[in-house]
Structures are given as structure tokens and as C-alpha cells.
Amino acid sequence: MIRTEGVADVTEETFEREVLGTDLPVLVQFTADWCGPCRQLAPVLGEIARQEAGRVRVVQLDVDRNPGVTVRFGVMATPTLMVFRAGEPVKSMVGARPKRKLLQELEDVLAAV
């Protein structure tokens, strides 16, 4: 899996605790090793993880190794970015994007924290 400083890996075994059971909103990148746009997005997510550490947690989940979670949330493409708050998905975005655009799209989620 693509390793990015500040972005934790989650699995089917840890998803409940690390994503659904936290107080902070969690931005999950559904990713795969073979996904070029996922690699492109990795440094952007690392920057957001550092910059917004008190307002959102950023994690990644490998779709090939964790098909149960992938199917459960209807992920059909990579990268899919999904924000979870209080155990529920509240926002979903598909595709890589620059940091400024992603922060604009996350503004409503981050404002609530």
C-alpha cells in the first residue's frame, strides 16, 4: 500500500474502531497499489493530515485487501474519499484533486468540529 506520513492504514479488522468509533470526523481514502491517481493524491492527504490534525483524521484502506468494507460502502472506483462522522458516511468524492479544492470540499465537515 502507498505509505504516506500522517495517514494511517485501516483494515476490515480495525475499521470499526479507527473510523466509526472516533469522535473526530475521519477522511478515508479507498485506495489500491495499482491506482495512479491514488499515488498522486497521497502527498495531498499527508499535508491535510498534518494541517488539520485537530479537526479531521486521515486514513487509507486498501480495496483489494479489504473487500468487505469496500462493498459495504458501495465504493466502485479508486480513489474514493469518504468522510465519516459519528459512525456514518457524510460525504463522498471520487478522484484525485489538488489540496485547495479538497479543502474547499471538506469545509462544511471541518467547520462542524
Side-chain angles (χ1 to χ4, degrees):
M1 181 148 35
I2 303 159
R3 301 282 176 228
T4 305
E5 190 176 328
V7 178
D9 297 339
V10 294
T11 64
E12 290 183 353
E13 293 77 30
T14 63
F15 192 84
E16 197 79 30
R17 179 181 70 248
E18 300 286 329
V19 176
L20 304 180
T22 66
D23 293 334
L24 274 182
V26 181
L27 172 62
V28 179
Q29 178 192 22
F30 290 84
T31 187
D33 288 335
W34 46 262
C35 172
C38 298
R39 283 192 291 279
Q40 194 178 11
L41 191 56
V44 170
L45 294 178
E47 288 178 30
I48 289 174
R50 283 187 296 282
Q51 180 181 325
E52 302 294 339
R55 300 196 308 160
V56 67
R57 182 162 188 248
V58 182
V59 301
Q60 63 181 1
L61 180 121
D62 186 298
V63 297
D64 293 327
R65 294 186 184 106
N66 302 282
V69 173
T70 303
V71 170
R72 178 179 171 189
F73 292 103
V75 174
M76 304 293 280
T78 57
T80 291
L81 300 169
M82 200 171 286
V83 179
F84 291 82
R85 185 186 304 140
E88 297 294 326
V90 295
K91 185 181 253 342
S92 183
M93 302 158 279
V94 177
R97 59 226 330 112
K99 179 181 167 189
R100 181 174 27 233
K101 184 172 187 334
L102 181 54
L103 284 172
Q104 287 172 344
E105 292 175 305
L106 293 173
E107 211 168 82
D108 58 331
V109 174
L110 298 175
V113 178

